[in-house]
Every structure is written in structure tokens, then in C-alpha cells.
Amino acid sequence: MRRTLHPGLSLIPVGALAIALALLTAGAGPAPRPSAPPVPGPAANPCSRPPAAGSTSLTVTSGGLARAAVLHLPPGRRAHVRMPLVVALHGAGRSGRFMEPYSGFSTLADRAGFVVVYPSAVPPHPRWNIYENPAGPDDVAFIRDLLTRVEHVACIDRGSVYAAGVSNGGGMAALLACQLSDRIAAVATVAGAYADLPDCHPPRPVSLLEIHGTADTTVPYGGRSGEDTGSDSVMSFVQSWVERDRCPTEGSATEVTPDATRYQWGPCTRGTAVEHLKILGGRHAWPGATPPDPGPPTTIKATRTTWLFLRGRHPALSGNSG
């Protein structure tokens, strides 16, 4: 067979070529093997493996910003067991990393078997954008993006997602009840500010617990007027949720401790409920916080009280836990 060579090349016998190659590579060692490219595959199912217990940092890109959160998973959970999720929202000037020991939710989560995520507002002056200032971050979109991220890394019961917050974070929890009712079944707000929140028209009913002290000077119980039933009072805010959830207009009042009265309305639409815990003489605080907030001690523990309320509130998103 006739071989056509490229101009300038000559045919070298096979044996001579082998000898030349051996001389060139002598002492060089074996040639490195090229690494195989990663094989793409389906995303890991977080329910297919037991969760890695403990707290880890999360970064979520939302609205062009890198947003921070702390995710805590309880120990001893088996694979394929979907867990409730609590979004714990700090007050102004704080962070998710502060909210974890302050609230004690992680300690309770380890005993009760639920997941907690502690998001942070944007530094350097962290404050949730509860009044939807267009110059500020879209914190509702951030929480939505954060929920999606958590559902990709932990086995979450999507019908048992809740939010709880204190002070500015309490107002944020109330805003989430209005605007993320498709993802959140119930909220607990503690010492929250509600007077100037945007109009609220949730497409789904959301259960709500409100905890507030009557001696709160940061967010007064009676609002600007000081009247307990004034238009911007705590009780007015609670009554607005009684109407939204179509609860019975007549509620019940029970003295649960010498310094606390519980008001309850229900059952409301689709099994939801509205409750208010009025702490007599209570100041601007998360009762039972570590370290304790200023003010007289109370027998009420906000973390345990909010969880006992939230864990029974599954109806709004029932059937959406796939």
C-alpha cells in the first residue's frame, strides 16, 4: 500500500520509533493519567439519608445579595422521616447566629425532632424590611429562597413550616403570614411591631399566636394611643387575624399563670386558630431568653409556648408534604 506523507515528514521504521520514544521518556516516570470529568447525575434526595445533626452556616443568593443563615438539624432522625421546620427571626441589630442561643430553639429541636433555620437581616445595620421600603432588600423573597434551599438539603414536611420572631422579627413573621401563606402554615410573633405593616390578604388561612407584655415601652401594647383596643394596639392586630381566619367572634380568656392571660379563638377556617398571650407587666422581651431580656421574670417561656402552638397547626398546607 502506498502511503502519502505530509511534505517535510519522512517515514520512520516502527522499531526505531519505539527506541526513540523510550530514550525520550527514560527517567521521566509514567505519564500522568488524565482525570475523568465528573459524571452529572440527579440531585441527592435529602430524605434518602439520615440528617447530619448540628448547626451549619448557609449562604443563599437572593435579590443579587449573598444572604446568611444558620441551619440546625436534630440528632437521631432516620432517613425518609420528614421533619417540621421553624424559621426563627431575630430582632433589629441582631443576627441568626445570635438568635440561636438567645431563643434556645435548637435545644428544644433536639428533644422534639424538628429543624430550625436562623436567617440574618442584611448587615451592617440588620433590620427586617417589614414595611417593604423599596430601597431595602426584599426580605420576603429571601425567606422564600431560603425555604427552597433548606428543602433541598433537609427532609422537610412542607405542610409543617412555621415562622417565629421577636420585635422587628415578630413583625417579619407577621409579614410572612400575609405574603408566604403558600409556604407557611402558622406563625408566632413576640413583642412585634405591626402598626404600619402593608395590607394583608393571604390566599390561605394561617394560624397565629401573639405574645406581648403590657409594660412594653418599645412597642407599646396599646399602640400610639395607649388604648388596649385602639386601632394600632396589639389587640387590634390580633382581632384582624380573627377576621382573616374567619374565627368565631367570641373568644375565650384563661388565666394560665398569675401574670399571663391566654385569649383563644377557634376553630377557624380549615382548622386554623388565633391566640394571644398577654403578659401583665411584661416588657419588650422574648420570655425565657438566654441571656434574659431586661424586665421582671415571668413563668412563660416563649420558645416552648410557641412550639406547642405551632406543632398542632398543620391544616393550611395539608397534602403539600411531598
Side-chain angles (χ1 to χ4, degrees):
M1 178 184 294
R2 185 173 181 176
R3 299 180 184 179
T4 302
L5 302 180
H6 190 280
L9 297 180
S10 57
L11 186 63
I12 301 176
V14 173
L17 179 60
I19 294 171
L21 289 173
L23 291 173
L24 287 172
T25 59
R33 297 179 63 184
S35 58
V39 179
N45 178 2
C47 293
S48 65
R49 60 188 186 278
S55 297
T56 56
S57 297
L58 283 182
T59 300
V60 177
T61 300
S62 180
L65 299 173
R67 304 295 300 268
V70 175
L71 177 66
H72 183 84
L73 295 124
R77 305 298 287 181
R78 301 187 307 275
H80 303 291
V81 175
R82 294 188 177 273
M83 295 174 286
L85 169 65
V86 174
V87 181
L89 299 152
H90 63 79
R94 302 300 188 177
S95 67
R97 194 163 295 281
F98 170 86
M99 185 65 176
E100 183 176 20
Y102 169 81
S103 67
F105 261 125
S106 291
T107 301
L108 179 59
D110 287 347
R111 297 199 305 265
F114 62 93
V115 178
V116 194
V117 65
Y118 305 88
S120 292
V122 174
H125 306 292
R127 185 178 184 87
W128 300 108
N129 187 14
I130 62 176
Y131 306 130
E132 297 189 311
N133 181 348
D138 187 341
D139 284 328
V140 173
F142 164 49
I143 299 301
R144 183 182 289 278
D145 294 337
L146 178 63
L147 291 178
T148 299
R149 174 68 182 281
V150 172
E151 289 166 358
H152 278 86
V153 299
C155 191
I156 301 300
D157 177 359
R158 296 178 186 174
S160 303
V161 177
Y162 315 114
V166 61
S167 190
N168 173 243
M172 185 64 195
L175 183 62
L176 295 178
C178 295
Q179 300 197 8
L180 282 188
S181 66
D182 61 323
R183 303 289 289 272
I184 291 178
V187 301
T189 68
V190 181
Y194 321 113
D196 298 316
L197 289 174
D199 289 341
C200 180
H201 305 285
R204 294 177 184 263
V206 176
S207 293
L208 180 134
L209 165 67
E210 205 284 339
I211 301 175
H212 221 104
T214 59
D216 189 335
T217 57
T218 303
V219 185
Y221 188 88
R224 299 182 184 95
S225 67
E227 299 292 333
D228 283 2
T229 57
S231 61
D232 60 351
S233 66
V234 168
M235 189 58 78
S236 175
F237 166 76
V238 173
Q239 286 288 348
S240 72
W241 277 97
V242 171
E243 295 173 7
R244 286 187 192 96
D245 287 344
R246 299 180 183 176
C247 306
T249 55
E250 294 296 326
S252 62
T254 307
E255 184 181 283
V256 291
T257 69
D259 63 348
T261 302
R262 173 179 282 118
Y263 299 84
Q264 297 174 293
W265 294 263
C268 310
T269 302
R270 297 180 65 176
T272 54
V274 174
E275 294 188 13
H276 168 50
L277 199 58
K278 181 179 183 178
I279 301 178
L280 304 178
R283 293 171 62 180
H284 192 68
W286 179 278
T290 304
D293 288 309
T298 175
T299 54
I300 297 298
K301 305 298 182 185
T303 302
R304 182 175 182 274
T305 300
T306 58
W307 173 243
L308 289 175
F309 175 82
L310 295 173
R311 72 177 184 180
R313 307 301 165 194
H314 304 255
L317 300 178
S318 58
N320 188 29
S321 59

